């Protein structure tokens, strides 16, 4: 059973997310909170597998709550899945840099919501395609963005190719197909990238691909 805490300042949203998440019987919402501060306390109390985290809330926003959750050694196994109504919200970049394992819009289908919870609980990272292609791309394209390709210097040419595919939002199986690798080899390369680049998960590899200029908007 996957345990979930829902943190959102709207009671109707929390109720709806609970009903949708628990529909198949393998996910249980064990707690709720209406502010980031209360949510942080509930997560520390309950140690859920996944936190569904809104961004804009009173007292403490979801970004700060996410940072504190993921900086707490006692919450090492907790995964944060950010939910928002803003498909162009610049805070998506901050959420992923803070260590959020995924970012979804609140108009996601019920099936995709449950799938996202399962993916994140299994230790994978998840970004909606619109976030990967549009939001991160637009942020990377801003004039004030300073690109630093220093992290790429430690990578082999093949590792750079794999990182580029991760940055485009491809799964391990899709990377294997694109680069003519076995799925096991693709997984090994992704694991190696996480270790070499000091990234918490796949989402942060996507950010690095944009920050280093390996991927640029429109390519």
């Amino acid at each position: 059973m996957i345990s979930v805490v829902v943190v959102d300042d709207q009671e109707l949203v929390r109720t709806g997310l609970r009903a949708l998440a628990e529909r198949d019987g393998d996910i249980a919402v064990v707690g709720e909170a209406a502010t980031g501060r209360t949510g942080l306390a509930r997560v520390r109390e309950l140690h859920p597998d996944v936190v569904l985290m809104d961004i804009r809330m009173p007292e403490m926003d979801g970004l700060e709550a996410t940072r504190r959750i993921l900086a707490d050694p006692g919450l090492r196994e907790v995964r944060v899945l950010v939910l928002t109504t803003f498909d162009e919200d610049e805070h998506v970049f901050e959420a992923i840099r803070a260590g959020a394992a995924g970012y979804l819009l609140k108009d996601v289908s019920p099936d995709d919501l449950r799938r996202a919870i399962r993916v994140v609980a299994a230790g994978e990272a998840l970004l909606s395609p619109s976030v990967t292609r549009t939001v991160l791309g637009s942020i990377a394209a801003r004039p004030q963005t300073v690109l630093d390709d220093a992290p790429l210097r430690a990578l082999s040419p093949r590792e750079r190719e794999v990182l580029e595919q991760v940055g485009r939002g491809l799964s391990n199986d899709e990377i294997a197909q694109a680069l003519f690798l076995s799925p096991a080899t693709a997984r090994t390369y992704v694991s190696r990238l996480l270790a070499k680049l000091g990234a918490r998960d796949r989402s942060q590899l996507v950010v690095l691909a944009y920050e280093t200029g390996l991927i640029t908007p429109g390519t």
Side-chain angles (χ1 to χ4, degrees):
M1 183 72 72
I2 300 171
S3 59
V4 174
V5 166
V6 178
V7 186
D8 193 289
D9 61 344
Q10 297 183 44
E11 183 176 0
L12 183 61
V13 171
R14 296 197 306 273
T15 301
L17 288 173
R18 174 188 286 271
L20 294 174
E22 294 184 333
R23 182 173 298 174
D24 291 344
D26 62 330
I27 299 170
V29 176
V30 297
E32 298 180 12
T35 71
R37 190 176 304 280
T38 306
L40 178 61
R42 293 292 278 162
V43 170
R44 285 173 172 165
E45 172 192 357
L46 298 168
H47 288 256
D49 298 309
V50 177
V51 181
L52 294 181
M53 180 75 75
D54 190 21
I55 288 184
R56 299 187 178 183
M57 293 180 290
E59 293 186 18
M60 179 190 294
D61 66 23
L63 294 174
E64 182 60 26
T66 296
R67 291 189 191 98
R68 296 194 187 192
I69 289 170
L70 299 176
D72 188 333
L75 302 176
R76 192 177 304 275
E77 302 304 316
V78 176
R79 310 280 286 173
V80 177
L81 181 58
V82 173
L83 290 166
T84 183
T85 57
F86 304 98
D87 60 351
E88 291 293 335
D89 195 332
E90 64 182 12
H91 295 310
V92 60
F93 198 69
E94 297 175 51
I96 296 170
R97 293 191 69 178
Y103 187 103
L104 291 175
L105 304 183
K106 286 182 179 176
D107 62 0
V108 65
S109 73
D111 286 343
D112 283 345
L113 172 64
R114 290 188 291 273
R115 182 179 68 86
I117 292 172
R118 295 182 188 113
V119 167
V120 166
E124 296 293 330
L126 185 144
L127 297 174
S128 67
S130 62
V131 170
T132 302
R133 299 190 190 101
T134 304
V135 179
L136 291 183
S138 65
I139 292 172
R142 292 178 181 177
Q144 66 266 34
T145 298
V146 178
L147 300 178
D148 178 9
D149 67 353
L152 299 181
R153 297 170 194 163
L155 304 182
S156 68
R158 177 60 93 180
E159 286 168 343
R160 288 191 183 209
E161 289 178 338
V162 172
L163 179 58
E164 181 178 356
Q165 301 307 315
V166 172
R168 297 187 191 285
L170 272 64
S171 67
N172 288 343
D173 287 345
E174 290 169 335
I175 291 171
Q177 184 176 12
L179 299 180
F180 303 101
L181 303 170
S182 71
T185 300
R187 286 194 297 272
T188 298
Y189 271 114
V190 172
S191 297
R192 193 179 300 165
L193 286 169
L194 291 169
K196 278 192 172 184
L197 297 173
R200 177 186 175 96
D201 55 32
R202 201 181 194 92
S203 296
Q204 291 192 329
L205 290 181
V206 173
V207 172
L208 277 166
Y210 278 84
E211 285 186 322
T212 58
L214 184 63
I215 294 180
T216 56
T219 61

